[in-house]
Amino acid sequence: MRRLVALLTIAASPLLADPLPRADAVFAEPDMDAVRLGQLLFYDPILSGNRTVACASCHHPRFGTSDGVSLGLGDGALGIGPEMRLDPENPPEQRIPRNAPALFNLGAEEFTHFFHDGRLESDPTRPSGIRTPLGADMEQGFASALAAQAMFPVLSGDEMAGHYSENDVAQAVRQGRLTGPGGAWAILAARVETIPEYRSAFDAVIGPRPVTFADIANVIADFMVVEWRADDSPFDRYLRGQGDLSEAAQTGMDLFYGKAQCASCHSGQFQTDHGFHAIAMPQIGPGKAARFERHNRDIGRMRVTGDPADAYAFRTPSLRNVTATAPYGHSGAYASLRAVVEHHLDPVTSLKAYDIALALLPGGGFASDRAVLEDAAEGAAIAAANRLQPIELSDGEVDALLAFLDTLTDPLALTGRLGIPDNVPSGLKVPR
């Protein structure tokens, strides 16, 4: 018998009285002119400092709207996905600190927190309607938290802005000029507006006024809402009474919503409670630290709230299309779905036995890759924060769970409704 940890915190809410969710998610319905414009901008490297990285470089349909690796390389990498490699003339300073999350169903109303630590969220008490790391400096005009989160990567040197001072965007970021006239966002908006095809397309969406960065973010969000809506999987159809599941998947569903207690955290139509939980997930890579900090740890939600009770807690990921979104975990510690499920056999024991060979790290080795794994004190802290309790499942029951997870796949959402454009108005290379 293997031991599968219930996906349940010690202080978790009780199991749902009716464990099966309703297939009734509510989605935004964007204007298609905006959606088509957002598609072009999503795939256009014009939004990166060095004009080499697009949103799609790290969120590509080939890799389930992620990037197919544990921790990506961002600016300074050549290629995408597992084939990405270092640019010898401009190598990355470090890996991107966290795994690129999938983008499915982010246009559903229930998604109000973004990033692994939830540091950006809808907040109607704020003037912008959004709580972000920029605080009072956050610009107005973003139509949703989804739009705002879509554009924070352009401010990250590791992701899209580029190394310190090597381009106008990176220089603005280094000097703290993010928003307002002359800021990084204004520089990028001006780039886009000077391209006639983009200016014409924005005329149809916002009229003749100047293009702001919020306008760019809004149409990219509109594209994401339509392109990766994933609510027509076999499981969705089963919930609607429109189809049956295989015997193995039915057994896995019964386990998921019963004995295995997965639905205690992976609840709702898209299998997430939108909460934050510490499950002793191994930490690899540079961690989430400011440039002046000399550590590689990632304390998760605590970095946002300051509450020690949130140490090493990360947002419950949606499981929609989960079979296509490897690797898994906030640091991408596990490259296979079975491996991350088996982490829940006993998280602390699994953490102590973790082998970095279970990850997929392109571009050779970085000194930070193993830093936390080799730090006994940090490992003990991650283990102490764990909030899962073990239960027992057989190998066959684990197989059944995997069969059920496969029913969460929506094929149309995997390919996307508009697809990858042949070219973009800037004339730059589209990530493929």
Side-chain angles (χ1 to χ4, degrees):
M1 300 283 285
R2 288 186 173 180
R3 292 164 56 81
L4 176 66
V5 171
L7 304 183
L8 177 65
T9 61
I10 289 176
S13 59
L15 291 175
L16 297 174
D18 179 6
L20 288 181
R22 297 174 63 90
D24 58 358
V26 177
F27 286 83
E29 299 288 347
D31 174 78
M32 286 306 297
D33 284 340
V35 170
R36 285 185 285 268
L37 175 54
Q39 175 207 22
L40 296 174
L41 288 162
F42 187 87
Y43 286 95
D44 197 334
I46 193 69
L47 295 180
S48 63
N50 290 323
R51 297 174 171 84
T52 57
V53 182
C55 302
S57 299
C58 294
H59 297 283
H60 202 281
R62 281 177 56 195
F63 310 109
T65 70
S66 183
D67 60 3
V69 299
S70 298
L71 298 172
L73 294 171
D75 179 78
L78 301 174
I80 63 172
E83 298 85 24
M84 71 175 69
R85 60 199 186 281
L86 305 184
D87 181 350
E89 297 182 1
N90 182 34
E93 295 179 351
Q94 65 175 25
R95 296 190 190 280
I96 295 173
R98 290 175 177 164
N99 179 256
L103 305 181
F104 299 110
N105 293 321
L106 298 185
E109 286 185 358
E110 67 182 75
F111 285 86
T112 59
H113 292 71
F114 298 92
F115 301 121
H116 287 288
D117 55 14
R119 63 187 182 276
L120 189 149
E121 63 181 299
S122 299
D123 184 350
T125 69
R126 306 266 175 152
S128 65
I130 306 164
R131 184 189 62 77
T132 82
L134 290 180
D137 292 331
M138 182 65 183
E139 290 187 349
Q140 303 296 307
F142 291 92
S144 65
L146 174 60
Q149 71 84 31
M151 289 293 93
F152 271 80
V154 303
L155 302 178
S156 167
D158 296 323
E159 296 181 58
M160 296 180 71
H163 302 163
Y164 288 162
S165 298
E166 69 180 2
N167 61 68
D168 51 354
V169 175
Q171 186 170 9
V173 170
R174 184 179 187 184
Q175 295 173 350
R177 294 184 290 110
L178 306 180
T179 63
W185 280 354
I187 293 169
L188 292 171
R191 280 189 192 178
V192 169
E193 187 165 26
T194 59
I195 298 173
E197 186 176 342
Y198 277 136
R199 178 64 262 184
S200 177
F202 271 109
D203 285 345
V205 173
I206 65 171
R209 66 170 173 78
V211 175
T212 69
F213 196 79
D215 295 325
I216 295 171
N218 289 340
V219 297
I220 289 178
D222 287 341
F223 165 68
M224 292 165 59
V225 169
V226 170
E227 186 77 345
W228 291 302
R229 176 172 173 169
D231 61 344
D232 193 30
S233 69
F235 180 61
D236 293 304
R237 294 194 292 272
Y238 174 83
L239 293 177
R240 298 181 184 119
Q242 299 170 344
D244 295 322
L245 303 181
S246 69
E247 182 178 353
Q250 179 74 54
T251 299
M253 184 185 73
D254 293 343
L255 288 164
F256 190 96
Y257 290 98
K259 178 181 176 181
Q261 302 178 19
C262 306
S264 297
C265 295
H266 291 283
S267 58
Q269 183 179 355
F270 303 130
Q271 291 76 43
T272 174
D273 62 358
H274 302 285
F276 301 86
H277 305 286
I279 61 171
M281 189 61 67
Q283 171 64 47
I284 59 176
K288 197 68 175 177
R291 291 289 184 181
F292 62 85
E293 294 178 307
R294 302 300 181 190
H295 66 74
N296 298 102
R297 66 179 178 272
D298 189 339
I299 56 175
R301 184 65 173 166
M302 180 180 168
R303 189 173 181 86
V304 177
T305 66
D307 186 349
D310 290 330
Y312 307 103
F314 295 88
R315 184 169 54 86
T316 305
S318 166
L319 301 184
R320 192 48 50 104
N321 292 328
V322 68
T323 59
T325 59
Y328 305 97
H330 72 278
S331 65
Y334 294 103
S336 80
L337 184 56
R338 176 173 285 275
V340 75
V341 169
E342 290 180 346
H343 171 79
H344 298 86
L345 303 175
D346 184 336
V348 172
T349 299
S350 181
L351 171 67
K352 292 177 179 178
Y354 179 73
D355 185 343
I356 201 170
L358 295 171
L360 180 56
L361 295 167
F366 283 68
S368 61
D369 288 350
R370 301 171 181 267
V372 170
L373 297 178
E374 296 172 352
D375 185 333
E378 187 64 11
I382 295 172
N386 173 59
R387 293 295 182 268
L388 299 182
Q389 291 295 302
I391 63 172
E392 293 196 2
L393 292 182
S394 67
D395 287 348
E397 288 172 319
V398 174
D399 291 338
L401 277 176
L402 294 174
F404 170 66
L405 293 178
D406 190 49
T407 73
L408 305 179
T409 302
D410 181 335
L412 178 59
L414 283 179
T415 58
R417 290 162 174 80
L418 299 183
I420 303 172
D422 293 332
N423 49 66
V424 289
S426 69
L428 297 170
K429 184 178 180 180
V430 175
R432 298 190 181 282

